[in-house]
Amino acid sequence: MVGRIPIMNVTPLVDLGRQPAKATVGEPLPVTASVFREGHDQLGAEVVLIGPDGRRRPTVRMTKHADVPDRYEAWVVPDAPGAWSFEVVAWSDPLGTWQHDAALKVPAGVDVELMFTEAHLLLDRVLTSLDPRDPASAGAAQVVQSAIEAARDTTRPDAARLAALESPEVADVMYRHPVRELLTVEGPYPAYADRERALFSSWYEFFPRSEGATRDEKTGRVTSGTFQTASKRLDAVAAMGFDIVYLPPIHPIGEVNRKGPNNTLDPGPDDTGSPWAIGSKDGGHDAIHPDLGTFEDFDAFVGRARDLGLEVALDLALQAAPDHPWVTSHPEWFTTRADGTIAYAENPPKKYQDIYPVNFDNDPSGICQEVLRIVRLWMSHGVRVFRVDNPHTKPLAFWEWLLREVRRTDPDVLFLAEAFTRPAMMQALGAVGFHQSYTYFTWRNAKWELEEYLREVSHETSHLMRPNFFVNTPDILHAFLQYGGPAAFKIRAALAACGSPSWGVYAGFELFEHVAVKPGSEEYLDSEKYQIRVRDWDAADREGRTLAPYLTRLNEIRRAHRSLQLLRNLSIHWSDDENVLVFSKVARDPSGAIEDAVIVVVNVDPHAARETTVHLDMAALGLEEHDAFVVHDEITGEDWTWSAHNYVRLDPFHEPAHVLDVRRTR
């Protein structure tokens, strides 16, 4: 039933409370509710956060929304990982009602003595509620006692008595020590706080077989890299400021229906095939491709990454090559067509003749236990992050079960969903436990598209899914990068690194790799999915043909600014140019004061300089409309004095973006 003080439309709430809302240790979590009552009496509301230990944290008072009637909001911060819950508490506020009525009646000479009598009776209740053992209560008691004396002192002018009762000191005590009547509680509602890496991370993807690979100049034959050679690349990845190195599948690759270069169907004897075509006579998901090395080599790779401050993310692709051991031992795990053949994977117009998708309906228990076994195997070798390939093609209930089982024993293990699919499925995958999600960011390039999408992921879906803005993937080379030149790579990197607390780069991005297999395609020419790519990183560094210094600087800025490590704190501002995007992010200290603020201005046109006026929502920055303040460009090192309206010129052939640290007011 509805409570005495109605509390409705509580957020964050996922699947009617059946799933926990997304939270992160140290990340402010907004709680909102519609709170109202009959008549005109005032009310109050607050949020109580309940930790995994069952301990109730200090209450946080809710404040009225500036624009939405009867909408209240508070920000709470989980301080430990685990399963949390929160309650919304509302009450009739006789002190607030008195303040409202007295301000109208006493100056008008209406019920004057009655108002003062009610004041001292209410303040007596406040005085009684103060804990004499609490030193902080001593000052409050003194303030309240003085106010009671003023209310009772009929020798003073009425205006003076009212002024004493309306003083900031008395108002502060009334706010901090309210008289609660008709107390109403809604909840508890669940939230789960993950470790910080679930929210704030910088990913770098590379194929181990390409790192350290060599090409014989005479024969053209390519020799695969190994874990030992790939480990040498880790130093450069760490130096660029990335904290997760993601490896595509490292398992044996099928020989039946193996793909050749550029997804052709006629491979040569030396063609390596796609790592996503998992399984051969050398083993399946619990084995390592023999060209890469052994489990001992993998353990050494993970250890080296750990020494450099990197976590290793492993691809979890639940599919099989036609010669995967599962096909023989568990044919019921696949779909058999009318002609007796096993159905291969399709994502029209793409066809994957080298891959059999798993059918989860014939033996769900067997498949579940096998996948859990595989995940735990790699966890035992130091993998605490998994990037899951195409999770939207598997039953949602399976993921809910698997992620819950892993979280039960190893809550630090994280899963990233690679699901470029319909919004309902993407959000549902986040709801059932995926910690991060690939997004539509790659296809949001115009200013208006970016504004809408940044609002969506920061505010509308943040309780369901955490975005990871990958600038490219082995599958996705957007036309913006194909035809935008080096400026396009800077633009997309700046947008991803500053627009989302988690972002990712696939190797080759820093070398401006941009050639598609054919016009209109998003596939790379000579895609690394089907062949080894030999890159000369050292030559690119020597010749200055690399974006690595820029990526390094972006990651340095992200680590220096708390505001860029958060999700729910983004505000869109305005410019007079349809190609100049402006947004800001702020971080607040425990008192609510802004301790870090960053303004990002990006020219999203890679072909031309743009000059315009930027218009700031000063309140979003914690500033007054007429304030002037200093901004420091973290990219160029320049300083400017800004105000609410500012001239900006951004040349993509020089620097297409400002990342501005709001330093101080003047």
Side-chain angles (χ1 to χ4, degrees), residues 426-439:
M426 291 177 67
Q427 293 171 21
L429 288 165
V432 301
F434 275 91
H435 302 82
Q436 292 185 10
S437 305
Y438 281 72
T439 68

Side-chain angles (χ1 to χ4, degrees), residues 478-486 488-489 514 516 518-521 606-607:
H478 194 274
F480 191 88
L481 296 179
Q482 295 178 34
Y483 303 109
F489 286 74
H514 66 282
K518 61 182 179 181
S521 173
H607 304 291

Side-chain angles (χ1 to χ4, degrees), residues 39-162:
H40 302 287
D41 284 0
Q42 302 297 300
L43 56 82
E46 62 192 11
V47 176
V48 182
L49 200 57
I50 305 165
D53 55 1
R55 184 167 58 88
R56 300 171 73 86
R57 302 303 195 258
T59 60
V60 178
R61 192 75 171 263
M62 303 183 83
T63 58
K64 282 187 177 181
H65 193 283
D67 302 314
V68 183
D70 299 323
R71 198 69 182 162
Y72 285 74
E73 180 182 67
W75 292 74
V76 294
V77 182
D79 56 17
W84 290 73
S85 61
F86 65 90
E87 295 174 345
V88 177
V89 182
W91 64 88
S92 177
D93 181 10
L95 282 172
T97 301
W98 181 89
Q99 288 173 306
H100 173 269
D101 293 351
L104 298 174
K105 289 185 174 182
V106 173
V110 177
D111 297 336
V112 173
E113 284 306 317
L114 177 60
M115 295 307 300
F116 287 130
T117 298
E118 290 178 347
H120 78 70
L121 291 175
L122 287 169
L123 290 170
D124 279 339
R125 294 172 66 182
V126 173
L127 194 61
T128 302
S129 71
L130 296 176
D131 185 354
R133 298 166 297 178
D134 180 7
S137 295
Q142 189 173 16
V143 169
V144 172
Q145 190 61 55
S146 297
I148 292 173
E149 293 173 1
R152 290 174 170 171
D153 188 355
T154 57
T155 65
R156 300 188 199 181
D158 294 340
R161 297 164 74 188
L162 181 62

Side-chain angles (χ1 to χ4, degrees), residues 82 115 198 201 204 228 266 387 422 436 461 566-567 646 654:
M115 295 307 300
S201 58
Y204 187 91
Q228 290 183 1
D266 53 348
R387 178 268 197 190
R422 302 181 305 279
Q436 292 185 10
T461 60
L566 303 174
L567 174 61
N646 311 279
H654 175 53

Side-chain angles (χ1 to χ4, degrees), residues 8-27:
M8 308 183 82
N9 302 319
V10 176
T11 70
L13 191 63
V14 178
D15 193 21
L16 303 178
R18 288 189 286 262
Q19 303 288 350
K22 287 279 187 291
T24 312
V25 175
E27 176 199 18

Side-chain angles (χ1 to χ4, degrees), residues 7 88 136 153 158 202 273 278 280 282 318 364 454 535 599 626:
I7 302 170
V88 177
D153 188 355
D158 294 340
S202 302
I278 298 170
S280 75
D282 296 312
L318 300 184
L454 288 171
R535 299 182 177 95
I599 301 169
H626 300 293

Side-chain angles (χ1 to χ4, degrees), residues 68-271:
V68 183
D70 299 323
R71 198 69 182 162
Y72 285 74
E73 180 182 67
W75 292 74
V76 294
V77 182
D79 56 17
W84 290 73
S85 61
F86 65 90
E87 295 174 345
V88 177
V89 182
W91 64 88
S92 177
D93 181 10
L95 282 172
T97 301
W98 181 89
Q99 288 173 306
H100 173 269
D101 293 351
L104 298 174
K105 289 185 174 182
V106 173
V110 177
D111 297 336
V112 173
E113 284 306 317
L114 177 60
M115 295 307 300
F116 287 130
T117 298
E118 290 178 347
H120 78 70
L121 291 175
L122 287 169
L123 290 170
D124 279 339
R125 294 172 66 182
V126 173
L127 194 61
T128 302
S129 71
L130 296 176
D131 185 354
R133 298 166 297 178
D134 180 7
S137 295
Q142 189 173 16
V143 169
V144 172
Q145 190 61 55
S146 297
I148 292 173
E149 293 173 1
R152 290 174 170 171
D153 188 355
T154 57
T155 65
R156 300 188 199 181
D158 294 340
R161 297 164 74 188
L162 181 62
L165 292 167
E166 290 181 330
S167 72
E169 294 79 11
V170 173
D172 179 65
V173 172
M174 288 182 175
Y175 182 84
R176 288 189 292 110
H177 302 278
V179 173
R180 295 176 172 88
E181 295 179 347
L182 308 179
L183 202 67
T184 305
V185 179
E186 286 292 337
Y189 301 102
Y192 195 95
D194 294 298
R195 63 185 176 108
E196 184 182 12
R197 187 74 77 224
L199 174 69
F200 175 58
S201 58
S202 302
W203 292 57
Y204 187 91
E205 175 182 0
F206 71 60
F207 288 73
R209 69 183 186 179
S210 290
E211 300 306 327
T214 58
R215 176 180 289 107
D216 188 300
E217 295 300 329
K218 294 181 179 179
T219 65
R221 184 173 181 177
V222 174
T223 300
S224 173
T226 66
F227 284 127
Q228 290 183 1
T229 60
S231 67
K232 298 176 182 177
R233 180 64 182 156
L234 293 175
D235 292 80
V237 175
M240 285 188 285
F242 293 98
D243 42 48
I244 293 180
V245 57
Y246 153 49
L247 309 181
I250 60 173
H251 315 297
I253 297 172
E255 298 175 8
V256 177
N257 295 343
R258 176 173 286 191
K259 293 294 185 75
N262 295 309
N263 200 23
T264 56
L265 300 176
D266 53 348
D270 295 327
D271 287 329

